[in-house]
Amino acid sequence: MNPSSSDATSWTPGRPLRVALLGCGVVGTEVARLLTRDADELAQRVGAPMELVGIAVRRLGRDRDLDVPDELFTTDAAGLVSRGDIDVVIEVIGGIDLARDLILSALEHGASVVTANKALLAEDGATLFEAAHKAERDLYFEAAVAGAIPIVRPLRESLAGDRVQRVLGIVNGTTNFILDAMTTTGQGFSEALDEAQRLGYAEADPTADIEGFDAASKAAILAGLAFHTRVTIGDVHREGITDVSAADVRSADEMGCVVKLLAICERRETPDGPAVSARVHPAMIPRSHPLASVRGAYNAVFVESEAAGELMFYGPGAGGAPTASAVLGDVVSVARNRRSDVFGPGESTHAQLEVLDMGRARTRYHVSIDVDDRAGVLASVAGAFAEYDVSIKTVRQEGSGSDAQLVIVTHEAEDAALSATVASLRGLDMVRDVTSVMRVEGGF
Amino acid sequence: MNPSSSDATSWTPGRPLRVALLGCGVVGTEVARLLTRDADELAQRVGAPMELVGIAVRRLGRDRDLDVPDELFTTDAAGLVSRGDIDVVIEVIGGIDLARDLILSALEHGASVVTANKALLAEDGATLFEAAHKAERDLYFEAAVAGAIPIVRPLRESLAGDRVQRVLGIVNGTTNFILDAMTTTGQGFSEALDEAQRLGYAEADPTADIEGFDAASKAAILAGLAFHTRVTIGDVHREGITDVSAADVRSADEMGCVVKLLAICERRETPDGPAVSARVHPAMIPRSHPLASVRGAYNAVFVESEAAGELMFYGPGAGGAPTASAVLGDVVSVARNRRSDVFGPGESTHAQLEVLDMGRARTRYHVSIDVDDRAGVLASVAGAFAEYDVSIKTVRQEGSGSDAQLVIVTHEAEDAALSATVASLRGLDMVRDVTSVMRVEGGF
């Protein structure tokens, strides 16, 4: 913590800390409800009472099932954050441009900010963190990654004396629900998506989830925290789950694996020094891996750290109440800081490691190949792998005659070499089709 | 954070933060190694260099495999902590009296303290926290509970806006290793203990682990953090695992359960208002519970919170490097605070909830009873339960004739009623023996 020298808003004993809420959807409503209901308890924890002084909404007059005075609601979010007497602004409206403007204005006007806005942080966190640093205010965002699961604070503080090697996260509940349903029932992707939509686990437009955009935002944030390097969503390789087939899930099962959409952030030693890789894609992981048993819409983040070893953080990754819990934990922290006119640790980017593109990430492949069942086929398939220095771990032939199939799992190699190998396989005479290619992670 | 007004030790830009280490055993050696090896990286994270200025040891001249100058070692721990120019003292000597004296002296002389000493915190944390508060210094202790797993900071900060209902922890690796071996191999307790000792998972004198003292210290600390109430080890009901038999483990298996030594901290609504229960005992939990798959010497803490829902934190609960990771995370936090002359959140005891004795804890029992196989036996056994208002969930008769056995699982009731029921069963004519009694936890 650093003492703050800004005097735009100084708290003096006796007055409550003023809190403004931007957005009153599912999360905002729950935040407002808990701030109001638990006001006495929260005052004890902060060391000063907090007062909710305004709630910015798009439209007035909705029935919000909240026990707060009508006059708190306003459609003038910009006016609310620039009042100049707000101590803490909570941003849960989402989106990019408006949210950024409001957060920047709040910081300039002396408020600390708590946000759940992963998309904005992953796209343009640098602008926000620099503004917070300049304003000597806090910008906290525990709710932006994996909902209620405390992962930002552990990475930023608990592991601050350690060296994180790898973060593997199931950070999107919608895709985990779909893949889990495919694993459990044998359903295909579309059926499982339909069911997820019917049950409310997937939105009407599920693009952000199933194409991996949401997970990629979180991967950027996690990589930045873990490796003290600025990582944006543009640095994150992204593949969604729309191409995962029931056959892929069955192949995984035969290998003793399950298919998960993983956010993977790794530190890699390269000839040019340490570097970082951040990527989101479906992958097979062994059933014995702690992430394999993360079911339904739950999230989990698995951290491999040099001294701490293997840690896992598990819990609900979304939803109004869980996200509100993470938001309010941050609100208590930044309110304590405002009360004392200090601020907590800001963005940590001193390492500035190179962010590798996907071709230079190291991983393993599981490849299923329909082949002609004749002499020499294995030699020529193996030759394609050797051509790119990709070492084969296991080969299994299944079926025979016109059903012959080779299932190959490689050792670790650079992704570029693996994809060149697959392209080369596709050009081979004896290869009828490369039916499935999936990365294998988690120490299989 | 609060700005500190003490001027015993004020950091000024340009000088390094001075760190003193008390104890150079397995954990201390690793702390010293990382502090030295990663000095540049840690300086970036703290915002100022840290310098290890002294290491207090019991005896000089041991070969410690550490790349630090000989003159740092001293046997005068008291002199080291009272030099008056130390910013951070790390206490990893363990034990009660000497550690307490040194921590108090360190705080009085202007240092913040990082400790891994669960026994001292559970016995007399109040004295230490009051001294830290008075000195306006930090007392951090992430390493005291569950080794490398970040659980103190999440409870103290991430969940500060939520209401924790229950904490279930596997917080002792030795007993988890033994129970896991019993589950996997069918071994009895002594065999499994022997193996754990042979493999280095249990100490030559395993009392603190197998009798539950270590877990009880951690339960006291967790309960205090979770419920904002002062809880000492004297408040914690404690039963070890020495009476757990191979038959208990088999019974659990037949129920779809495993046996774990749990640290359980619960908030309970009583007619007199909310109260707290803290206890350590072996219990059956369903195999589907996330804690059931915590294998070997790993630790995990499962938290049920009103808004966040169910969270789990998993990782290595002991060992030099993992504990050093937790210690160094705290060192970075308190060093950042010293640099800015502020201090973080201290002890939170405003709730001061009543701590219930074991008789008033609510739980369920699994009871195996050898009975005479004749008419009326079930009626009279059921009568004993009814007498104390304990409701039966399931009854199963096994065997017949002289092998007849009743296996009964109850609904939740106060522990006093459950144990009175068992005493009453033992007095029944038709009951030959109550062969096993074990609590059932985790939502079976």
Side-chain angles (χ1 to χ4, degrees):
Chain A
M1 305 289 130
N2 294 304
S4 150
S5 62
S6 165
D7 52 10
T9 319
S10 268
W11 178 78
T12 46
R15 83 159 171 82
L17 287 149
R18 299 190 191 96
V19 178
L21 176 62
L22 311 181
C24 201
V26 176
V27 175
T29 302
E30 197 61 25
V31 168
R33 195 179 72 77
L34 294 173
L35 267 178
T36 314
R37 190 199 71 177
D38 297 342
D40 292 348
E41 177 67 25
L42 291 170
Q44 292 283 347
R45 298 186 188 181
V46 170
M50 292 194 289
E51 187 189 354
L52 183 56
V53 298
I55 304 176
V57 293
R58 219 172 314 173
R59 270 174 308 182
L60 296 176
R62 284 205 190 164
D63 184 10
R64 291 180 203 272
D65 190 25
L66 261 182
D67 187 21
V68 300
D70 282 347
E71 59 269 28
L72 290 194
F73 290 96
T74 172
T75 55
D76 181 14
L80 179 59
V81 298
S82 61
R83 272 172 47 164
D85 67 344
I86 308 287
D87 299 288
V88 181
V89 167
I90 302 168
E91 185 273 305
V92 287
I93 54 171
I96 304 289
D97 291 332
L98 177 59
R100 175 170 41 208
D101 290 348
L102 293 172
I103 291 174
L104 292 175
S105 174
L107 291 167
E108 276 163 24
H109 288 89
S112 282
V113 172
V114 174
T115 177
N117 196 326
K118 61 210 127 219
L120 174 55
L121 288 168
E123 181 162 310
D124 193 17
T127 301
L128 305 182
F129 288 116
E130 278 163 14
H133 182 74
K134 190 165 155 233
E136 302 191 330
R137 289 296 181 268
D138 286 322
L139 173 65
Y140 277 33
F141 52 97
E142 184 64 77
V145 185
I149 306 172
I151 182 63
V152 171
R153 205 174 258 99
L155 281 174
R156 190 151 75 161
E157 301 183 33
S158 310
L159 289 166
D162 204 340
R163 189 180 290 177
V164 175
Q165 309 283 16
R166 181 182 285 113
V167 178
L168 290 180
I170 295 174
V171 292
N172 180 272
T174 303
T175 47
N176 201 57
F177 181 89
I178 291 170
L179 292 172
D180 191 29
M182 290 172 70
T183 303
T184 313
T185 65
Q187 283 173 327
F189 170 75
S190 329
E191 283 170 279
L193 171 61
D194 286 350
E195 192 190 343
Q197 285 177 317
R198 198 166 45 76
L199 297 172
Y201 288 110
E203 297 187 39
D205 176 359
T207 312
D209 294 316
I210 64 176
E211 297 290 1
F213 291 100
D214 174 76
S217 290
K218 293 162 179 171
I221 297 171
L222 288 171
L225 289 166
F227 305 118
H228 304 271
T229 289
R230 206 166 263 168
V231 180
T232 71
I233 191 167
D235 298 318
V236 180
H237 174 83
R238 178 191 51 76
E239 297 172 32
I241 64 164
T242 51
D243 290 338
V244 177
S245 66
D248 290 330
V249 171
R250 273 198 307 277
S251 299
D253 187 56
E254 282 159 17
M255 294 239 307
C257 287
V258 294
V259 178
K260 296 287 186 190
L261 182 71
L262 297 181
I264 301 170
C265 312
E266 285 177 316
R267 179 190 168 94
R268 246 199 81 193
E269 301 301 328
T270 75
D272 308 325
V276 169
S277 143
R279 50 205 169 94
V280 167
H281 55 70
M284 297 183 180
I285 55 169
R287 266 198 293 269
S288 59
H289 193 283
L291 286 174
S293 50
V294 175
R295 305 291 304 273
Y298 273 82
N299 279 198
V301 181
F302 187 80
V303 179
E304 298 172 29
S305 192
E306 189 188 79
E310 298 183 343
L311 302 170
M312 192 169 82
F313 304 80
Y314 165 93
T323 309
S325 169
V327 165
L328 282 171
D330 278 353
V331 168
V332 169
S333 287
V334 308
R336 279 174 182 160
N337 287 350
R338 289 305 313 127
R339 183 175 70 86
S340 310
D341 207 19
V342 299
F343 52 97
E347 190 188 25
S348 174
T349 58
H350 61 266
Q352 290 294 32
L353 303 183
E354 183 192 359
V355 184
L356 301 172
D357 63 26
M358 185 60 190
R360 295 180 64 202
R362 290 184 70 84
T363 179
R364 286 161 301 150
Y365 270 22
H366 173 281
V367 189
S368 302
I369 316 168
D370 282 352
V371 292
D372 292 341
D373 189 11
R374 54 178 154 119
V377 63
L378 182 55
S380 78
V381 164
F385 283 88
E387 186 185 346
Y388 295 98
D389 274 333
V390 176
S391 162
I392 291 176
K393 187 179 179 200
T394 62
V395 184
R396 201 171 72 229
Q397 174 163 354
E398 295 183 346
S400 58
S402 63
D403 277 340
Q405 195 180 41
L406 289 177
V407 178
I408 292 177
V409 181
T410 72
H411 283 291
E412 201 174 88
E414 289 207 342
D415 199 79
L418 289 159
S419 48
T421 304
V422 171
S424 162
L425 288 170
R426 291 204 154 104
L428 289 181
D429 256 11
M430 302 178 192
V431 168
R432 288 200 303 273
D433 194 10
V434 177
T435 52
S436 157
V437 177
M438 193 170 287
R439 296 186 187 89
V440 182
E441 304 283 344
F444 177 78
Chain B
M1 304 291 131
N2 294 305
S4 150
S5 62
S6 164
D7 50 12
T9 319
S10 268
W11 178 77
T12 46
R15 83 158 171 83
L17 288 149
R18 297 189 193 96
V19 178
L21 175 62
L22 310 181
C24 201
V26 176
V27 175
T29 301
E30 198 61 24
V31 168
R33 195 179 71 78
L34 294 173
L35 267 177
T36 313
R37 190 199 69 178
D38 297 342
D40 292 348
E41 176 68 24
L42 292 170
Q44 292 284 345
R45 298 186 188 180
V46 170
M50 293 194 290
E51 187 188 353
L52 182 56
V53 298
I55 305 176
V57 292
R58 219 174 310 172
R59 270 176 307 182
L60 297 176
R62 281 203 192 167
D63 184 11
R64 289 179 204 274
D65 191 25
L66 260 182
D67 187 22
V68 300
D70 281 347
E71 58 268 29
L72 290 194
F73 290 97
T74 172
T75 55
D76 181 15
L80 180 59
V81 298
S82 60
R83 272 172 47 164
D85 68 344
I86 308 287
D87 299 287
V88 181
V89 168
I90 302 168
E91 186 274 301
V92 288
I93 55 171
I96 304 291
D97 292 332
L98 176 60
R100 176 169 42 210
D101 290 347
L102 293 172
I103 291 174
L104 292 175
S105 173
L107 291 167
E108 276 163 25
H109 288 88
S112 283
V113 173
V114 173
T115 178
N117 197 326
K118 59 211 130 223
L120 174 57
L121 288 167
E123 181 162 310
D124 192 18
T127 301
L128 304 183
F129 288 115
E130 279 162 14
H133 182 74
K134 189 162 156 239
E136 303 191 330
R137 290 295 181 268
D138 286 322
L139 174 63
Y140 276 34
F141 53 99
E142 184 64 78
V145 185
I149 307 172
I151 182 63
V152 171
R153 203 174 260 101
L155 282 173
R156 189 150 76 162
E157 302 183 33
S158 309
L159 290 165
D162 204 341
R163 190 179 289 176
V164 175
Q165 309 284 16
R166 180 181 286 114
V167 178
L168 290 179
I170 294 174
V171 292
N172 180 272
T174 302
T175 47
N176 200 58
F177 181 90
I178 292 171
L179 292 171
D180 190 30
M182 291 172 70
T183 303
T184 313
T185 65
Q187 284 173 326
F189 170 75
S190 329
E191 281 170 281
L193 171 60
D194 286 348
E195 193 191 343
Q197 286 176 317
R198 198 167 45 77
L199 296 172
Y201 288 110
E203 297 187 38
D205 176 359
T207 313
D209 294 315
I210 64 177
E211 296 291 1
F213 289 101
D214 174 78
S217 290
K218 293 162 179 171
I221 297 171
L222 289 171
L225 288 166
F227 305 119
H228 303 271
T229 288
R230 207 166 263 168
V231 180
T232 70
I233 191 166
D235 297 318
V236 180
H237 173 83
R238 178 190 52 75
E239 296 173 30
I241 64 164
T242 53
D243 291 337
V244 177
S245 67
D248 290 332
V249 171
R250 273 198 308 276
S251 300
D253 186 56
E254 281 159 18
M255 297 238 307
C257 287
V258 293
V259 177
K260 295 287 185 191
L261 182 71
L262 296 182
I264 302 171
C265 312
E266 285 178 317
R267 180 188 168 95
R268 248 199 78 192
E269 301 301 327
T270 76
D272 308 324
V276 169
S277 145
R279 49 205 170 95
V280 168
H281 55 70
M284 297 182 180
I285 55 169
R287 266 197 293 267
S288 59
H289 193 282
L291 286 175
S293 50
V294 176
R295 306 291 305 274
Y298 272 82
N299 279 197
V301 182
F302 188 80
V303 178
E304 297 172 30
S305 191
E306 189 187 80
E310 299 182 342
L311 302 171
M312 192 169 81
F313 304 78
Y314 165 93
T323 309
S325 170
V327 166
L328 282 172
D330 278 352
V331 167
V332 169
S333 287
V334 308
R336 279 175 180 158
N337 288 350
R338 288 305 312 128
R339 184 174 70 87
S340 309
D341 207 19
V342 301
F343 52 99
E347 190 189 27
S348 174
T349 58
H350 62 266
Q352 289 294 31
L353 303 182
E354 184 191 359
V355 184
L356 301 173
D357 63 27
M358 186 60 192
R360 295 179 64 202
R362 290 184 70 83
T363 178
R364 287 159 302 148
Y365 270 23
H366 173 281
V367 189
S368 302
I369 317 169
D370 282 352
V371 292
D372 291 341
D373 190 10
R374 54 179 155 114
V377 63
L378 183 55
S380 77
V381 164
F385 283 88
E387 187 186 345
Y388 294 98
D389 275 334
V390 176
S391 163
I392 291 176
K393 187 178 176 199
T394 62
V395 183
R396 203 172 70 229
Q397 175 163 354
E398 296 185 346
S400 59
S402 64
D403 277 340
Q405 193 182 42
L406 290 176
V407 178
I408 292 178
V409 180
T410 72
H411 282 291
E412 201 175 88
E414 288 206 343
D415 199 79
L418 289 160
S419 49
T421 305
V422 170
S424 162
L425 288 171
R426 291 204 154 103
L428 289 182
D429 256 9
M430 301 179 193
V431 167
R432 287 201 304 273
D433 194 11
V434 178
T435 51
S436 157
V437 177
M438 193 170 288
R439 298 184 184 89
V440 183
E441 304 284 344
F444 180 78

